Amino acid sequence: MTTVGERLVEMLEARGVEMVFGIPGVHTIELYRGLAGSSIRHVTPRHEQAAGFLADGYARATGKPGVAFLITGPGLTNVITALAQARADSVPVLAISGVNARATLGRGLGCLHELPDQCATMASVCLSSERIEDPRDLGPALDRAFALFASGRPGPVHIEIPTDVMALPCDDTSTDEAASAGPPQPDATAIAGAAALLSRARSPAILVGGGAKGAADLVCRIAERLDAPVVMTANGRGLLHAHPLGVPASPSLKSVRALLADSDAVLAIGTEFGPTDYDMYVVGGFPPLKGLVRIDVDAAQIARHACDIAIVADARDAVEVLMSALEDRPADAAPGAGTARAREARDAAWDEIGQRYRSHVDALDAIRKAAPGAMIVGDSTQAVYAGNLFFDHDRPGGWFNAATGYGALGFGPPAAIGAKLGRPDVPVVCVVGDGGMQFVLAELGTAMDEKAAVVFVVWNNGGFQEIETSMVEAGIAPVGVRPSAPDFCQVAQSYGMEAQRIASLGALGAAVSQALACGGPALVEIVGDPAL
């Protein structure tokens, strides 16, 4: 007899799942029955929220869904923050949880780990939430989950299995629905209209977000064909590293907004026009865009920000077709004008962010030079805020953090571990503040357990400095912004991790190089505020 729990593992394995993240409990042990004999690797974090962040980082690094096993009740509510971050950033995460026995559900009997309606709780955060009431439901539920990941804008999906269902016998009930799923194909009429509009533009621009990271080569080609500056939002960084047409700066900056306002056509690829990218300071004033063409896999997302032409499709599919439909540029279009416009916008944005943030970006540049091609995974900390405003990374999809979208503190370290586990061949550096590090300090142990060679750069300025500054500027006496921190190097060393402390940004590049050379997890602590 093959149980539901065993069949679940088989079905995940058949769908290419390589690892699951979770903490086993009495409500999920039947899900683990087949795990030891499978090819799936189990990773145990120290907290369920970290399990979600690990799955998120793994998914961003690999492009495959991250999977978490979670106990009923508190295990699931602990992971909600991580799933909300994944929802905000369109990251495919599959949360598989237990739930109490079917006969007890919704009756308020006071069972261990009981929630009034666990599915309803998760449905408010996830793309879908469903319960396996019968073993025959398992395959179709998994098919629907993987179809959601493959056919549109991804995000978290939740499946729960009652404890009295986990051990029931289960045949393979897959419908192979996921295999037939795929993103929508670009509409020919929309492509033709967009090609005509962009071909006749004399000063076009391109906006790229995280949805374009799989089309970096095509974005470069269409930018060169149109002679169009390319503005990269935070999740779009790395698509045109060091390219004359690249503008690795936030559209929240006045200088970048001026570039877009002066454009007679704008092609926006895989970007949702969210406030954390387009109005970071909540001051309004983002200009109306002339001749706006949007490419997005999600029709509902396109509907939230009006445009002239909408192309509902995967970025790579749409840009490839659009390229072939473009006509020759206007004969009177000034050659090289796009390069000059991009350079002017870059220079103005660099000046606009100010000396303090420029010093933070210099520190990020030092990390990039010490670890070329790295994934730099950030938490909510000042160096990351600076990088989101202006930073030219060298890897598409290699700069991501939780300082946009949902904005969860404690994201960086576990997400970096998940990214490294998913791509062990790629250097991974986590940039985190002392406050965010303390949210997930114990995950240093997870990195050691899993031999995940992440370099944790902890920017220890003694508190929540960004919040303290905001309180002072608002005329509010700072309260609660100076929590004490441990000796991070000693904590790391107590786990057996290499650690060193520096007090100068000039020493950061060498410290990161040394940490990478050790071949295992390592921590670099920056003490004080070297930017002052």
Side-chain angles (χ1 to χ4, degrees):
M1 183 187 76
T2 301
T3 67
V4 168
E6 290 172 310
R7 189 69 73 191
L8 170 67
V9 171
E10 288 179 6
M11 290 178 173
L12 292 174
E13 195 173 20
R15 287 163 177 78
V17 173
E18 301 168 318
M19 59 185 69
V20 297
F21 307 92
I23 302 173
V26 294
H27 285 70
T28 54
I29 56 173
E30 281 295 336
L31 301 185
Y32 283 75
R33 184 176 293 278
L35 204 56
S38 77
S39 63
I40 296 175
R41 176 179 177 179
H42 185 271
V43 177
T44 307
R46 302 307 190 262
H47 191 280
E48 288 94 354
Q49 185 178 104
F53 288 145
L54 281 155
D56 180 305
Y58 170 89
R60 296 193 203 219
T62 64
K64 303 175 183 178
V67 180
F69 278 6
L70 303 149
I71 67 162
T72 305
L76 203 59
T77 53
N78 279 343
V79 85
I80 284 178
T81 295
L83 297 181
Q85 185 73 51
R87 178 69 179 264
D89 288 348
S90 306
V91 180
V93 174
L94 176 58
I96 299 175
S97 77
V99 71
N100 288 316
R102 289 168 291 178
T104 71
L105 297 178
R107 298 182 60 191
L109 300 176
C111 297
L112 180 66
H113 299 337
E114 182 180 67
L115 280 170
D117 189 338
Q118 188 171 275
C119 248
T121 299
M122 299 309 295
S124 68
V125 175
C126 297
L127 297 178
S128 74
S129 176
E130 58 181 297
R131 179 181 303 134
I132 305 301
E133 298 275 4
D134 183 283
R136 291 171 295 182
D137 299 335
L138 179 62
L142 285 172
D143 287 338
R144 284 189 291 273
F146 280 81
L148 279 173
F149 297 144
S151 61
R153 185 185 185 194
V157 172
H158 170 239
I159 295 173
E160 66 180 20
I161 307 175
T163 53
D164 62 324
V165 172
M166 293 178 186
L168 294 177
C170 181
D171 295 326
D172 187 342
T173 57
S174 294
T175 62
D176 208 26
E177 187 176 329
S180 62
Q185 293 302 300
D187 176 75
T189 302
I191 289 288
L197 189 157
L198 293 167
S199 296
R200 63 175 177 261
R202 286 168 172 76
S203 55
I206 297 175
L207 277 166
V208 291
K213 66 183 181 183
D217 56 331
L218 294 177
V219 170
C220 183
R221 284 174 54 200
I222 199 168
E224 291 171 349
R225 176 83 176 271
L226 294 172
D227 190 28
V230 179
V231 175
M232 293 165 268
T233 67
N235 286 326
R237 298 296 166 79
L239 269 77
L240 264 77
H241 172 64
H243 194 287
L245 289 171
V247 183
S250 170
S252 292
L253 296 170
K254 293 177 182 178
S255 46
V256 178
R257 290 177 169 189
L259 168 72
L260 296 171
D262 290 341
S263 301
D264 59 357
V266 176
L267 173 61
I269 308 171
T271 179
E272 65 177 5
F273 287 89
T276 53
D277 273 317
Y278 288 84
D279 193 16
M280 186 182 296
Y281 297 110
V282 199
V283 295
F286 187 78
L289 301 179
K290 298 181 283 290
L292 178 59
V293 177
R294 292 193 65 188
I295 296 173
D296 200 290
V297 75
D298 185 6
Q301 189 57 250
I302 286 182
R304 294 183 185 114
H305 187 95
C307 62
D308 295 278
I309 298 175
I311 302 172
V312 181
D314 173 76
R316 188 167 189 87
D317 293 343
V319 176
E320 192 166 25
V321 175
L322 182 59
M323 274 285 296
S324 63
L326 288 175
E327 304 164 10
D328 292 335
R329 295 206 64 219
D332 59 346
T339 296
R341 294 172 65 220
R343 181 175 59 250
E344 181 181 349
R346 284 195 306 270
D347 292 346
W350 183 247
D351 289 341
E352 186 178 343
I353 66 173
Q355 180 55 46
R356 181 178 176 77
Y357 269 1
R358 286 196 292 269
S359 67
H360 290 302
V361 177
D362 287 341
L364 297 173
D365 284 336
I367 293 173
R368 188 193 68 235
K369 290 171 183 175
M375 285 183 278
I376 302 180
V377 184
D379 208 80
S380 291
T381 191
Q382 290 202 15
V384 172
Y385 303 149
N388 283 346
L389 283 176
F390 192 112
F391 177 54
D392 190 11
H393 197 36
D394 62 0
R395 182 185 189 88
W399 168 263
F400 60 88
N401 56 76
T404 64
Y406 197 61
L409 269 172
F411 166 88
I417 297 168
K420 184 65 181 179
L421 293 175
R423 291 297 307 272
D425 57 318
V426 176
V428 177
V429 179
C430 173
V431 179
V432 60
D434 53 299
M437 187 73 241
Q438 290 185 82
F439 271 50
V440 288
L441 193 57
E443 300 310 323
L444 295 178
T446 306
M448 292 301 295
D449 286 352
E450 302 300 327
K451 298 179 175 58
V454 175
V455 177
F456 301 93
V457 176
V458 182
W459 202 292
N460 183 3
N461 58 19
F464 301 127
Q465 191 172 82
E466 188 80 10
I467 306 304
E468 181 174 354
T469 300
S470 297
M471 293 175 109
V472 170
E473 290 176 350
I476 299 169
V479 174
V481 292
R482 290 284 176 176
S484 59
D487 183 318
F488 289 106
C489 286
Q490 284 194 7
V491 172
Q493 289 164 352
S494 74
Y495 280 108
M497 184 180 293
E498 296 285 333
Q500 60 178 303
R501 183 176 291 113
I502 61 175
S504 162
L505 289 183
L508 182 57
V512 171
S513 294
Q514 183 178 340
L516 287 167
C518 82
L523 184 142
V524 176
E525 181 182 6
I526 307 175
V527 177
D529 190 350
L532 291 176

